Amino acid sequence: MKDQINELRKDALNSLASVTSRLELDAWRVRYLGKKSCLQAVLKGLGSLPADERKIAGAETNRLKNELECLLREKQAALEAASAQSPGQQDSLDITLPGRPASLGRLHPVTKVLHEMGVIFTSMGFEVVEGPEVEWDYYNFEALNIPKEHPARDSMQTFWVDMPTGEKGWEMLLRTHTSPMQIRVMEKQTPPLRIIVPGRVFRYEATDTTHIPMFHQIEGLAVDKGITMADLKGTLYEFSRRFFGPERKVRFRVDFFPFVEPGVDMAVECAVCKGDGCRLCGQSGWIEILGAGMVHPRVLEAGGIDPEEYSGFAFGMGIERVPLLRYGIDDIRLFYSSDLRFLRQF
Ligand code: FA5
């Protein structure tokens, strides 16, 4: 029995000398001190020895057990000290493993469309400007020829901001369209001017396949001497040709907006039904994407521009409806449902 114990000690010490990592040390512990270890086998064999021999062998085995436990602790401490000195060498961190790929985000389809439109309009000489989303009712309505009791206010259900009115008695709201920037720009710049204003707008509206309460618009404004309706139509036709392709039909119809005279709306042939009529286009075959017209003389005056000398055109396009038309998406709400399966397609 004594020989067996000595043999075991020699074997354990030799094996421990070649241990260089915590994983290896754990395997060593299981092999020499674990429940199914050689040491346990020796301990179990003690029962079959005569009593006097059993006593001696039992003491020897316990001594070996204590000795191995002590060596285990020392080795553990040595390995920890070594890995603290050179963290890159820690066995728990395999620096040769390939890294986890970082998940890359992407631009939202509406942002992409806005960028693309920006490129088209800037190539036509329009400058990009931005304005406040929280606006005074003066800029959102009054200066745009929509006085307090005008029924046109009802067509833009408004989120009012509960704030004391400013010193001019103006009230605050979340802008219902990007048109207030027409006035703000005219107040600061003198013609000739050509600007586009991309941004978010807000309306207190029920949602359906083509309506949401927060959406984006891009406003366009051109003011100069001798600007006519032909300039407006030419600009919007060119936009449509470049954005949707030359084969897509475009329709202009007379419409009313208090801040333009005459006013029109522009609709594009529905991409889902190709004009036959479907759920998205309300069976009409067309989807209206913008309102436009010649800037009303009162609006030019509100911006400090003489309507006798200058004329201008303006348009306001709903951005979300544009990718609907381009990609044949049948519900505008998908853009803001945070469904990655939908968003990853763009
Ligand atoms: C306006 O907002 C005018 N300011 C546009 C304008 C500018 C006219 C300059 C003349 C001169 P309208 O309310 O029709 O007009 O909205 C313009 C576009 O925004 C619509 O054609 C449509 O594409 C989009 N739109 C309107 N309401 C919603 C909504 N709830 N959800 C998504 N898109 C909408």
Side-chain angles (χ1 to χ4, degrees):
M1 178 59 78
K2 201 173 172 193
D3 290 348
Q4 203 184 345
I5 292 171
N6 280 340
E7 200 52 41
L8 185 56
R9 173 182 286 110
K10 216 165 117 191
D11 189 36
L13 292 182
N14 275 342
S15 158
L16 187 62
S18 61
V19 165
T20 55
S21 73
R22 272 182 270 174
L23 273 178
E24 286 172 8
L25 185 61
D26 204 43
W28 182 89
R29 181 189 60 75
V30 170
R31 179 153 183 226
Y32 294 100
L33 288 164
K35 276 190 191 142
K36 292 181 184 161
S37 63
C38 316
L39 193 70
Q40 287 298 330
V42 173
L43 281 169
K44 272 185 200 143
L46 291 178
S48 59
L49 294 176
D52 51 342
E53 266 188 56
R54 185 166 62 222
K55 212 172 158 192
I56 299 167
E60 273 294 308
T61 319
N62 272 334
R63 202 169 22 253
L64 175 60
K65 185 168 176 260
N66 290 338
E67 195 182 330
L68 294 184
E69 281 171 351
C70 185
L71 285 170
L72 174 70
R73 282 194 294 275
E74 279 173 17
K75 189 76 180 183
Q76 252 163 359
L79 287 175
E80 267 162 34
S83 68
Q85 272 173 7
S86 52
Q89 299 299 313
Q90 284 180 33
D91 48 74
S92 58
L93 174 69
D94 182 349
I95 56 170
T96 63
L97 279 176
R100 289 198 193 107
S103 67
L104 275 184
R106 66 190 71 210
L107 291 180
H108 191 277
V110 170
T111 312
K112 278 192 185 167
V113 164
L114 268 172
H115 286 180
E116 217 177 307
M117 289 178 174
V119 170
I120 295 178
F121 284 114
T122 48
S123 78
M124 291 194 240
F126 287 80
E127 186 195 338
V128 181
V129 291
E130 287 183 312
E133 292 177 349
V134 181
E135 187 52 282
W136 296 112
D137 70 335
Y138 169 77
Y139 287 106
N140 198 82
F141 293 126
E142 251 133 85
L144 289 171
N145 199 26
I146 313 176
K148 277 220 159 29
E149 305 309 326
H150 197 289
R153 285 201 180 195
D154 297 344
S155 68
M156 292 187 187
Q157 302 291 342
T158 309
F159 288 108
W160 294 94
V161 178
D162 194 7
M163 283 276 291
T165 54
E167 52 195 56
K168 297 183 179 156
W170 295 345
E171 290 186 70
M172 221 178 236
L173 45 78
L174 298 187
R175 66 178 176 190
T176 56
H177 52 170
T178 40
S179 301
M181 278 306 287
Q182 290 186 28
I183 306 292
R184 285 184 179 273
V185 169
M186 286 191 279
E187 278 178 347
K188 290 210 180 82
Q189 296 182 25
T190 46
L193 54 93
R194 256 181 290 179
I195 52 131
I196 52 164
V197 188
R200 284 194 298 182
V201 302
F202 309 84
R203 293 190 194 173
Y204 182 56
E205 278 186 357
T207 65
D208 60 28
T209 52
T210 52
H211 290 83
I212 36 179
M214 187 287 297
F215 57 100
H216 292 74
Q217 285 191 342
I218 203 165
E219 189 82 8
L221 173 72
V223 181
D224 201 352
K225 287 182 182 160
I227 295 242
T228 68
M229 193 81 181
D231 297 309
L232 169 64
K233 285 185 83 177
T235 305
L236 294 177
Y237 268 129
E238 176 61 9
F239 163 77
S240 171
R241 195 185 64 75
R242 282 165 67 175
F243 192 86
F244 295 110
E247 69 293 338
R248 189 68 72 85
K249 287 192 196 131
V250 172
R251 180 190 75 182
F252 285 95
R253 280 195 319 190
V254 174
D255 201 349
F256 171 72
F257 301 94
F259 33 97
V260 287
E261 181 57 39
V264 292
D265 73 51
M266 182 176 119
V268 180
E269 190 183 47
C270 177
V272 172
C273 63
K274 304 279 179 293
D276 292 342
C278 66
R279 183 175 90 107
L280 176 66
C281 59
Q283 309 305 329
S284 71
W286 298 94
I287 294 185
E288 179 207 309
I289 61 160
L290 62 85
M294 299 304 292
V295 182
H296 196 287
R298 282 203 206 135
V299 174
L300 289 172
E301 269 168 9
I305 292 174
D306 180 1
E308 295 297 325
E309 196 180 350
Y310 291 102
S311 58
F313 69 73
F315 59 86
M317 186 173 355
I319 304 302
E320 279 78 359
R321 291 194 189 166
V322 171
L324 291 191
L325 286 162
R326 187 190 237 188
Y327 303 116
I329 299 161
D330 64 2
D331 196 328
I332 199 168
R333 291 167 290 197
L334 284 166
F335 287 120
Y336 300 109
S337 59
S338 302
D339 185 342
L340 289 179
R341 290 168 307 173
F342 170 75
L343 294 172
R344 282 197 178 119
Q345 297 175 69
F346 302 96

